[in-house]
Amino acid sequence: MPTTTGMKGDGFYNSHSSAQRAAMDAFLPWIEEAVAQIALAPGESLHCLDIGTSEGSNAIHAASRIIRRFRTVSNQPVWYFFDDLPTNDFNQLFANLFPDGDPAISEANVFTGAIGGSAYGPLVPPGSLHVATTFNALGFLETKPAAALPHFILPMPPGPCAPREGVGVTENEQIPYRLQAAADLEKFFAARADELVSGGRLLVQVYGRNDKVSTSHGIYDALSDGLLDSVDAGLIPHRVYEDLVFPIYFRTLEELIAPLDENSAFRIEATDTRESPVPFNAALNEAGDANAWAASYTGFLRAFSESILAAALPADLRNAETLDSIYSRIKDRLAADPARYPLRFISIGALLCKK
């Protein structure tokens, strides 16, 4: 089945995505330098596309940096397109693009637009792009495999700090999701290869894992425990937990670039795995306020998980009261035992040039 849910709207994702911005900022210098090397013909416009924009706060931040760097070498017009799933809160995106009626991107001769569509298919005409970017989006699978995960909510192993009896995922259970993630990448790179001009650049950054730590550790342990606490309290039936799967895969850098062999349409210019700072972790270390940390952590988690969770609830429980209760239990668990749910943001990235 397609994974067609988006982020939590009405400005919520914008307000709870500082960790994602810190991760993207680590890789933005690559594309800033690359865009300054793109040569346009006289009268030609620079065409850019961001994929997985959500409500736009972080995407507009990235676009502004890229355009400012381009303006140091050219005054030619810029078309900047922002894409996400049709279920995305595009009203909030446009509100962020034009706060109080004025453009958020202040440079002159810049034109913006929005596109609704999947990252794994064509989004613009062939050979029409000079720059494509995607940040913190490609972990979501295009479709959810018809493979059950009755003892965990993610097709990745739980983190090592929060063992709970009966919770886990086997290697065999992970295989269909790993294969889906690999097939998704093939489709993503093929679509971008068609859309980019020769010499065009593609920057891919996404949460992932290294040989020791996954970004999923801590986050999904807290969500899993909150859901099981809700089951124990009689708030939701156990079948909700058994049937719920977050169709998200946390890749290694090697998995990200695996499709890019010598026959690929792309040349690899840079790759890296980095651990990005998490602002609310820094605040906890400085102030020691576990309650404030738990509130920020819960908001961060809720911003990208609520839509999927809500869709999995029975119709009579698909309401704000039930969701508030579940996330309140998660917040209480986090505040009571921060060491059980550590969040380390492992970010992988690649800068590619269309041959």
Side-chain angles (χ1 to χ4, degrees):
M1 59 179 292
T3 57
T4 56
T5 52
M7 304 295 102
K8 183 173 173 60
D10 298 323
F12 194 93
Y13 184 82
N14 280 340
S15 299
H16 296 89
S17 57
S18 59
Q20 290 92 328
R21 179 172 293 195
M24 69 192 292
D25 276 347
F27 291 90
L28 271 173
W30 287 356
I31 196 67
E32 288 176 297
E33 290 309 306
V35 76
Q37 300 170 24
I38 294 175
L40 300 180
E44 188 178 8
S45 299
L46 182 76
H47 291 175
C48 306
L49 172 67
D50 181 72
I51 302 166
T53 293
S54 187
E55 295 182 326
S57 178
N58 287 345
I60 294 166
H61 163 75
S64 296
R65 285 184 51 169
I66 292 168
I67 293 168
R68 280 198 300 270
R69 184 66 180 91
F70 180 66
R71 282 286 173 259
T72 66
V73 297
S74 174
N75 291 318
Q76 288 169 265
V78 176
W79 265 111
Y80 219 106
F81 298 96
F82 299 91
D83 159 76
D84 213 306
L85 295 170
T87 51
N88 184 57
D89 187 352
F90 284 99
N91 286 337
Q92 187 63 51
L93 168 62
F94 283 112
N96 288 331
L97 279 169
F98 298 95
D100 302 318
D102 296 320
I105 299 174
S106 59
E107 280 73 20
N109 220 10
V110 174
F111 306 88
T112 57
I115 298 170
S118 168
Y120 305 111
L123 295 169
V124 296
S128 63
L129 285 180
H130 301 98
V131 174
T133 59
T134 182
F135 303 102
N136 300 299
L138 288 187
F140 282 88
L141 303 180
E142 182 185 26
T143 59
K144 184 170 69 175
L149 298 175
H151 304 299
F152 198 46
I153 57 174
L154 188 75
M156 312 292 295
C161 297
R164 182 163 177 157
E165 186 177 357
V167 172
V169 55
T170 68
E171 175 65 25
N172 283 340
E173 288 172 334
Q174 295 175 57
I175 291 173
Y177 294 88
R178 185 181 303 124
L179 293 175
Q180 180 67 54
D184 286 350
L185 273 185
E186 295 277 2
K187 293 174 69 174
F188 173 81
F189 286 131
R192 305 294 81 78
D194 284 344
E195 294 167 345
L196 283 159
V197 301
S198 179
R201 299 312 203 281
L202 170 61
L203 175 61
V204 177
Q205 175 271 319
V206 66
Y207 44 80
R209 70 185 198 275
N210 58 27
D211 58 349
K212 296 180 180 178
V213 180
S214 173
T215 310
S216 62
H217 293 165
I219 306 171
Y220 287 93
D221 300 304
L223 181 52
S224 173
D225 282 349
L227 287 167
L228 289 172
D229 289 348
S230 299
V231 170
D232 292 341
L235 176 65
I236 59 175
H238 195 271
R239 64 179 174 81
V240 170
Y241 185 89
E242 292 175 335
D243 294 342
L244 176 61
V245 177
F246 283 83
I248 304 170
Y249 186 77
F250 292 76
R251 297 178 180 89
T252 62
L253 179 59
E254 290 72 22
E255 288 175 309
L256 179 66
I257 63 174
L260 305 173
D261 58 21
E262 64 275 7
N263 297 317
S264 168
F266 291 103
R267 180 178 71 253
I268 298 175
E269 293 194 331
T271 64
D272 204 1
T273 300
R274 300 176 180 178
E275 182 167 357
S276 302
V278 177
F280 50 84
N281 283 350
L284 176 65
N285 292 335
E286 293 173 6
D289 188 340
N291 287 319
W293 174 80
S296 296
Y297 195 146
T298 303
F300 164 74
L301 168 60
R302 188 168 187 172
F304 60 80
S305 65
E306 180 179 294
S307 297
I308 296 172
L309 173 56
L313 292 174
D316 61 327
L317 295 176
R318 201 173 299 151
N319 53 59
E321 182 179 358
T322 301
L323 291 164
D324 286 347
S325 180
I326 293 170
Y327 286 102
S328 178
R329 293 172 191 275
I330 293 169
K331 177 178 174 295
D332 290 345
R333 270 193 167 269
L334 290 168
D337 192 0
R340 182 178 171 88
Y341 308 104
L343 171 60
R344 294 176 61 183
F345 202 121
I346 307 302
S347 188
I348 58 176
L351 177 67
L352 312 175
C353 179
K354 170 73 180 295
K355 294 177 183 176

